[in-house]
């Protein structure tokens, strides 16, 4: 994401194909862009792509900017 530095943390819900993605973005260092960590369903994933799991209806995603 790219946001103003004082935008703060935020949440969005996005339906895509068969899944619903509950995405929380945290920005502890108040940066405008960059991702240092992404957690999907409690596990850290490399990169910035949410892995698809056949049959999964809900995804809980936390993105930490930095």
């Amino acid at each position: 994401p790219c946001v103003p530095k004082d935008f703060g943390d935020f949440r969005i819900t996005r339906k895509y194909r068969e899944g619903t993605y509950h995405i929380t973005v945290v920005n502890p260092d108040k940066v405008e862009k960059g991702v240092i960590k992404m957690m999907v369903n409690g596990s850290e994933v490399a990169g910035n792509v949410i892995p698809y799991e056949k049959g999964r209806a809900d995804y809980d995603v936390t993105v930490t900017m930095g």
Side-chain angles (χ1 to χ4, degrees):
C2 186
V3 296
K5 65 180 178 178
D6 294 325
F7 192 76
D9 301 344
F10 58 96
R11 292 183 181 170
I12 60 171
T13 297
R14 166 90 158 102
K15 292 186 180 219
Y16 182 70
R17 296 185 180 163
E18 301 92 26
T20 301
Y21 297 79
H22 306 281
I23 303 168
T24 302
V25 178
V26 295
N27 191 358
D29 298 325
K30 298 184 188 316
V31 299
E32 294 182 350
K33 59 184 177 178
V35 173
I36 59 170
K37 181 168 75 169
M38 185 168 72
M39 303 285 290
V40 178
N41 301 320
S43 298
E44 188 169 353
V45 296
N48 60 1
V49 176
I50 300 169
Y52 171 74
E53 293 180 41
K54 186 174 176 95
R56 180 177 280 277
D58 288 295
Y59 295 80
D60 292 310
V61 181
T62 302
V63 177
T64 302
M65 295 180 66

